[in-house]
Amino acid sequence: MWPGSLRLPRNGAHKVRQDWHEQFAESPDVLRSSRLRQTVVRVLDVEIGGGGFVTMAGPCSVETEFQVMATANHVRRAGARILRGGAFKPRSSPYSFQGHGLEGLKMLAHARQETGLAIVTEVMSEDDVPLVAEYADILQIGSRNMENYALLEAAARSGRPILLKRGMVATIADLLRSAQVVLDNGNPNVILCERGIRTFETALRNTFDVAAIALIKQVSHLPIIADPSHAAGASELVPALARIAVAAGADGIIVEVHPKPEEAWSDGEQSLDFDAFDAMMESLEPYLALRGPALHERQLARRGVALRPRQAAGVHALEAVG
Ligand code: PEP
Ligand code: MN
């Protein structure tokens, strides 16, 4: 075994604990079993759940052509594989910016054409599914819609992979049940997302339930990623939560990035600027190295960085602390 490995279960536990089986009994096809091995979701040339670590990054909302293109180019160079950005925005206030709709989708498609990044974007209503599916590579179901079964069914039937975000007050069983609805509608390509939940704690926007990631890696064959941006609500904390997600075994992260967060039309306070994004990506490296040399090398190659002995030394420093 790779020295200093986090000893994450490579493909989850071979057996799911009996009490978890009972607790998640309503989502039988989501649970790992001898019949159901790890799901790998393939989008363009990206694999999610195949043992690699995938970074999805981009603005909260699609604002302007310049904002999308500048962000797409930057995050691609820093190692992201998928561009995020909302064209249809669920907002807490009905008076806030609701997204550019079709114009936003077109900007995202243009960014894909220019950068080769795959696109993930939210679909909020069943009526919009055909339109969003025409432009997006992955359909995002937002937290506020996790239990909107009509939307889940329509999105599932589009045939596009689904990024299913955990509802703000949803239990892990609720999340897995919604994933089961997508599978029941003939779509096996579900990526789960832990994005923080509401608890009695109010210091942060949400409480990052990192144990949910570790648990889901054990019980489910579906990939799970983390959204440190919505979990933290504050850009200063996003890199730390991203590192925790790597250590917990997440298959990737989805992060909000903006050229000028202070001017963002939504979620500027939790968006990273380009320098902060680069620093975060670099800071993930020793944690990725703990997950295995192959994963680390792949990540570095994507960023155009050659593996240096110093990085291996970083692994041992972490091992001593951990
Ligand atoms: C988003 O990712 O843009 C978003 C609105 O997130 P959530 O649904 O998790 O609140
Ligand atoms: Mn947002």
Side-chain angles (χ1 to χ4, degrees), residues 60 89 230 256 267 270:
C60 177
K89 291 303 302 174
H230 289 87
E256 289 186 338
D267 283 350
Q270 67 192 33

PDB file of all heavy atoms in Angstrom, residues 60 89 230 256 267 270, ligand 2:
ATOM      1  N   CYS A  60     -21.371  31.332  -9.687  1.00  0.00           N
ATOM      2  CA  CYS A  60     -22.699  30.956  -9.188  1.00  0.00           C
ATOM      3  C   CYS A  60     -23.682  31.145 -10.331  1.00  0.00           C
ATOM      4  O   CYS A  60     -24.332  30.193 -10.754  1.00  0.00           O
ATOM      5  CB  CYS A  60     -23.067  31.833  -7.990  1.00  0.00           C
ATOM      6  SG  CYS A  60     -24.729  31.495  -7.371  1.00  0.00           S
ATOM      7  N   LYS A  89     -31.713  30.456 -11.970  1.00  0.00           N
ATOM      8  CA  LYS A  89     -31.238  30.550 -10.592  1.00  0.00           C
ATOM      9  C   LYS A  89     -32.359  30.475  -9.567  1.00  0.00           C
ATOM     10  O   LYS A  89     -33.303  31.274  -9.618  1.00  0.00           O
ATOM     11  CB  LYS A  89     -30.532  31.898 -10.363  1.00  0.00           C
ATOM     12  CG  LYS A  89     -29.216  32.062 -11.086  1.00  0.00           C
ATOM     13  CD  LYS A  89     -28.203  30.976 -10.742  1.00  0.00           C
ATOM     14  CE  LYS A  89     -27.878  30.872  -9.278  1.00  0.00           C
ATOM     15  NZ  LYS A  89     -26.997  29.694  -9.016  1.00  0.00           N
ATOM     16  N   HIS A 230     -21.242  26.436  -1.043  1.00  0.00           N
ATOM     17  CA  HIS A 230     -22.540  26.630  -0.385  1.00  0.00           C
ATOM     18  C   HIS A 230     -22.509  26.124   1.054  1.00  0.00           C
ATOM     19  O   HIS A 230     -23.253  26.613   1.892  1.00  0.00           O
ATOM     20  CB  HIS A 230     -23.659  25.981  -1.200  1.00  0.00           C
ATOM     21  CG  HIS A 230     -23.940  26.723  -2.480  1.00  0.00           C
ATOM     22  ND1 HIS A 230     -23.240  26.467  -3.631  1.00  0.00           N
ATOM     23  CD2 HIS A 230     -24.780  27.752  -2.763  1.00  0.00           C
ATOM     24  CE1 HIS A 230     -23.670  27.291  -4.590  1.00  0.00           C
ATOM     25  NE2 HIS A 230     -24.596  28.084  -4.086  1.00  0.00           N
ATOM     26  N   GLU A 256     -17.481  27.609  -6.427  1.00  0.00           N
ATOM     27  CA  GLU A 256     -17.833  28.866  -7.094  1.00  0.00           C
ATOM     28  C   GLU A 256     -16.602  29.769  -7.234  1.00  0.00           C
ATOM     29  O   GLU A 256     -15.890  30.032  -6.254  1.00  0.00           O
ATOM     30  CB  GLU A 256     -18.948  29.575  -6.324  1.00  0.00           C
ATOM     31  CG  GLU A 256     -20.261  28.825  -6.496  1.00  0.00           C
ATOM     32  CD  GLU A 256     -21.477  29.481  -5.899  1.00  0.00           C
ATOM     33  OE1 GLU A 256     -21.318  30.322  -4.968  1.00  0.00           O
ATOM     34  OE2 GLU A 256     -22.585  29.158  -6.327  1.00  0.00           O
ATOM     35  N   ASP A 267     -23.960  35.268  -4.729  1.00  0.00           N
ATOM     36  CA  ASP A 267     -22.993  34.470  -3.948  1.00  0.00           C
ATOM     37  C   ASP A 267     -21.525  34.926  -4.053  1.00  0.00           C
ATOM     38  O   ASP A 267     -20.605  34.095  -3.952  1.00  0.00           O
ATOM     39  CB  ASP A 267     -23.112  32.985  -4.328  1.00  0.00           C
ATOM     40  CG  ASP A 267     -24.339  32.335  -3.678  1.00  0.00           C
ATOM     41  OD1 ASP A 267     -24.967  32.974  -2.808  1.00  0.00           O
ATOM     42  OD2 ASP A 267     -24.667  31.199  -4.036  1.00  0.00           O
ATOM     43  N   GLN A 270     -19.033  33.985  -1.148  1.00  0.00           N
ATOM     44  CA  GLN A 270     -18.475  32.626  -1.030  1.00  0.00           C
ATOM     45  C   GLN A 270     -17.691  32.219  -2.281  1.00  0.00           C
ATOM     46  O   GLN A 270     -17.220  31.082  -2.376  1.00  0.00           O
ATOM     47  CB  GLN A 270     -19.595  31.612  -0.776  1.00  0.00           C
ATOM     48  CG  GLN A 270     -20.561  31.435  -1.947  1.00  0.00           C
ATOM     49  CD  GLN A 270     -21.808  30.661  -1.561  1.00  0.00           C
ATOM     50  OE1 GLN A 270     -22.284  30.756  -0.429  1.00  0.00           O
ATOM     51  NE2 GLN A 270     -22.342  29.882  -2.466  1.00  0.00           N
TER      52      GLN A 270
HETATM   53 MN    MN B   2     -24.468  29.909  -5.566  1.00  0.00          MN
END
